[in-house]
Amino acid sequence: MAPIHKECDYLVIGGGSGGLASARRASGVYGAKTIAIESNRLGGTCVNVGCVPKKVTWNAAAIAETIHAAKSYGFSVETTAPFDWKTFKHKRDAYVKRLNGIYEKNLDKDHVDYIHGRAHLTSRDSVEVKLDDGSTTTIKAKKILLATGGHPTIPDGIPGSEMGITSDGFFDLETQPKCVALVGAGYIAVEMAGMFNALGSETHLFIRHETFLRQFDPMIQDTITKEYERLGVHIHRNSAQTKFEKNTEKGGDWKTLHYTDKEHPDGATLDVECLLWGIGRSPEVEDLGLQAAGVKQGEKGHILADDYQNTNVENIYSLGDVSGKVELTPVAIAAGRKLADRLFGGPKYKDSKLDYSNIPSAVFAHPEVGTIGLSEPDAREQYGDKNIKVYESDFTAMYFAMMEPEENAPTKYKLVCYGEEEKVVGMHILGVGSSEILQGFGVAIKMGARKKDFDSCVAIHPTSAEELVTLK
């Protein structure tokens, strides 16, 4: 079959959150002739193997915790069977599939030409797409957006590492492993360890240092690490993995992990049904043809883009995880829309770009974590110790009032303030509902709120969030 040729104003490679947001804005709002290309399922990491199915699973874990807490409130609740992982997994898959369909309908509604296939650049304005039937399409575009996202990393140099899974594989598990090992200290490993543990799997978390979530404020690192241990997660500090092999004695999915850690410097083994690598993500650029277009990359392979999402090639742009700035779905969506405004919205939007400062984020750990702005050490380094004042609160949320002291989960809040006016340059919270609390306070901090602005707001009682407007 002879290749088909197409032309467009705007070609978006990558059907994740950022690429689709930009494509829909360009076509639906500004009428640009737009083509979007995706080789996997629409919605990218977030919808298919990230935020969405993760939060659904976290909800299940939270319900498990609520069932456990119900007795303290006078309910006689007994589970008659273990958590039905398989039924839950299939319902979650069906929900994600519905979302895939909604994304495709939205593209059609905004008149975006959607092509399912694998694209690679052949020049600075041309792309070849291999379609599902093996044929190819060539597209010539005035402007090209590279928003291909990323994929989880599996370590090299560890025999048998390929027998482990990644965060992608977590959502493919048909049955719940009885014993699981997770390697990593970032939010992905921490979230999944918390979910496995709450749902009843024996959970081991291997980290390289003393605490996890090391990119977060020390209050969060120390408290969540300690809380995971209280909840029964086995934390292996200062660990390294040396080999992963099948366990022929136990058979089935059982395997043996060889490792060293703080308690076992000379080495030890652990039999597990599942090993999950949560050690980071790499940009999806392997067959993108960047060299053919002259697009520059960073040391770790990310596409280099400035604050306006420009690459070094005039008509080629990049955003989202593949550019490695702030790897969060709402960031990619906001950047994609801003870029479409600038490219197609006329003079009014000629300076349109995303402000990457003070971006709120949440970790769906146990308990939840919310953070925005600078950590206390970063603030002290940037502004100097004498210019920083910190307000903190450590308390027991009323939810735990009916429980025994040893069952209480922590709640801790911190405001990091700068200068005589005490501008809030960082807020770090952990406890029940922290993700929802942060979204509202994030608006205030983005607007430049000072400590006295927090103080001027009358508290809502009784809530945990009222602590943030009554800090002394």
Side-chain angles (χ1 to χ4, degrees):
M1 181 184 294
I4 302 169
H5 299 279
K6 292 175 175 276
E7 293 187 358
C8 65
D9 300 316
Y10 194 38
L11 175 62
V12 176
I13 303 177
S17 301
L20 295 182
S22 196
R24 291 184 60 196
R25 177 67 63 93
S27 178
V29 175
Y30 301 114
K33 185 178 181 182
T34 304
I35 297 174
I37 304 170
E38 171 57 47
S39 61
N40 207 318
R41 292 178 288 174
L42 282 174
T45 296
C46 176
V47 169
N48 296 291
V49 288
C51 332
V52 171
K54 178 271 300 287
K55 184 64 184 293
V56 172
T57 310
W58 183 88
N59 287 340
I63 290 171
E65 292 173 325
T66 301
I67 292 171
H68 177 75
K71 184 178 180 180
S72 297
Y73 275 87
F75 293 93
S76 298
V77 178
E78 292 185 13
T79 54
T80 58
F83 174 66
D84 189 346
W85 181 285
K86 189 171 185 178
T87 297
F88 170 78
K89 189 260 185 192
H90 290 167
K91 289 188 71 175
R92 186 184 61 201
D93 289 350
Y95 173 58
V96 169
K97 189 173 182 179
R98 288 199 301 273
L99 294 180
N100 297 146
I102 291 170
Y103 271 75
E104 188 165 359
K105 288 178 182 176
N106 285 339
L107 287 178
D108 184 63
K109 183 175 68 175
D110 285 325
H111 310 294
V112 176
D113 185 4
Y114 167 51
I115 298 175
H116 192 269
R118 192 76 176 176
H120 68 271
L121 297 160
T122 55
S123 71
R124 59 186 297 159
D125 62 356
S126 297
V127 167
E128 183 177 81
V129 186
K130 185 175 182 180
L131 304 176
D132 295 340
D133 63 3
S135 64
T136 60
T137 293
T138 58
I139 303 171
K140 195 172 184 65
K142 295 176 182 177
K143 301 181 188 300
I144 298 174
L145 172 61
L146 306 176
T148 51
H151 54 259
T153 303
I154 292 179
D156 296 323
I158 300 175
S161 62
E162 73 282 353
M163 289 191 290
I165 66 171
T166 65
S167 55
D168 288 4
F170 173 86
F171 300 106
D172 290 329
L173 289 172
E174 286 287 340
T175 58
Q176 182 176 0
K178 295 180 178 67
C179 182
V180 59
L182 302 97
V183 181
Y187 74 93
I188 293 174
V190 170
E191 289 178 336
M192 292 187 169
M195 292 184 287
F196 271 125
N197 183 66
L199 292 172
S201 296
E202 179 183 328
T203 304
H204 295 255
L205 181 58
F206 290 80
I207 60 178
R208 290 188 297 172
H209 300 280
E210 289 290 323
T211 59
F212 48 67
L213 297 178
R214 286 168 50 79
Q215 300 300 314
F216 291 75
D217 188 88
M219 177 193 78
I220 289 172
Q221 296 180 41
D222 297 338
T223 305
I224 299 297
T225 302
K226 183 178 178 181
E227 176 64 3
Y228 266 42
E229 288 185 301
R230 185 189 74 83
L231 292 171
V233 177
H234 303 271
I235 308 292
H236 298 260
R237 294 174 168 83
N238 308 125
S239 69
Q241 299 71 47
T242 56
K243 185 169 63 172
F244 191 51
E245 60 185 355
K246 290 184 178 180
N247 188 315
T248 54
E249 290 185 10
K250 288 191 172 183
D253 292 327
W254 286 93
K255 301 176 183 68
T256 300
L257 177 64
H258 298 252
Y259 67 93
T260 60
D261 65 9
K262 189 174 183 178
E263 302 298 323
H264 306 91
D266 296 324
T269 61
L270 175 69
D271 294 337
V272 298
E273 279 194 297
C274 177
L275 169 65
L276 191 151
W277 299 108
I279 59 172
R281 295 176 62 81
S282 303
E284 184 79 10
V285 293
E286 287 79 4
D287 57 350
L288 192 52
L290 299 177
Q291 292 76 18
V295 177
K296 290 183 178 180
Q297 296 171 259
E299 290 183 4
K300 295 183 178 180
H302 294 99
I303 297 172
L304 296 177
D306 64 17
D307 287 347
Y308 289 87
Q309 315 307 148
N310 300 312
T311 70
N312 62 297
V313 180
E314 186 176 353
N315 62 307
I316 298 180
Y317 312 89
S318 186
L319 54 81
D321 291 6
V322 75
S323 62
K325 275 197 171 181
V326 180
E327 297 184 13
L328 296 169
T329 294
V331 173
I333 291 172
R337 289 172 177 163
K338 292 283 188 182
L339 176 62
D341 289 340
R342 182 169 68 85
L343 297 181
F344 303 104
K348 178 181 177 181
Y349 295 105
K350 64 182 179 65
D351 296 320
S352 176
K353 68 181 179 67
L354 177 62
D355 177 7
Y356 280 89
S357 66
N358 283 330
I359 292 173
S361 64
V363 181
F364 290 96
H366 300 260
E368 296 171 59
V369 168
T371 185
I372 183 172
L374 298 173
S375 68
E376 182 181 343
D378 287 346
R380 293 188 183 280
E381 181 179 350
Q382 184 168 328
Y383 295 115
D385 284 341
K386 66 180 181 180
N387 296 312
I388 294 297
K389 187 169 183 179
V390 174
Y391 297 85
E392 296 184 77
S393 181
D394 179 353
F395 62 99
T396 300
M398 189 176 285
Y399 176 78
F400 301 102
M402 304 298 289
M403 301 179 193
E404 297 301 319
E406 63 270 17
E407 295 180 313
N408 294 345
T411 306
K412 293 187 179 183
Y413 295 163
K414 176 188 282 191
L415 288 184
V416 182
C417 302
Y418 162 67
E420 291 184 6
E421 289 201 337
E422 295 191 326
K423 180 180 180 181
V424 180
V425 295
M427 187 175 99
H428 312 282
I429 60 177
L430 62 91
V432 176
S434 288
S435 60
E436 301 289 353
I437 292 169
L438 179 66
Q439 185 68 81
F441 280 98
V443 175
I445 293 171
K446 189 73 175 177
M447 294 174 69
R450 300 155 296 177
K451 174 64 167 60
K452 68 179 183 180
D453 296 317
F454 276 57
D455 296 341
S456 70
C457 183
V458 175
I460 302 171
H461 183 73
T463 65
S464 291
E466 68 180 295
E467 288 285 318
L468 288 166
V469 298
T470 57
L471 287 169
K472 303 294 184 185

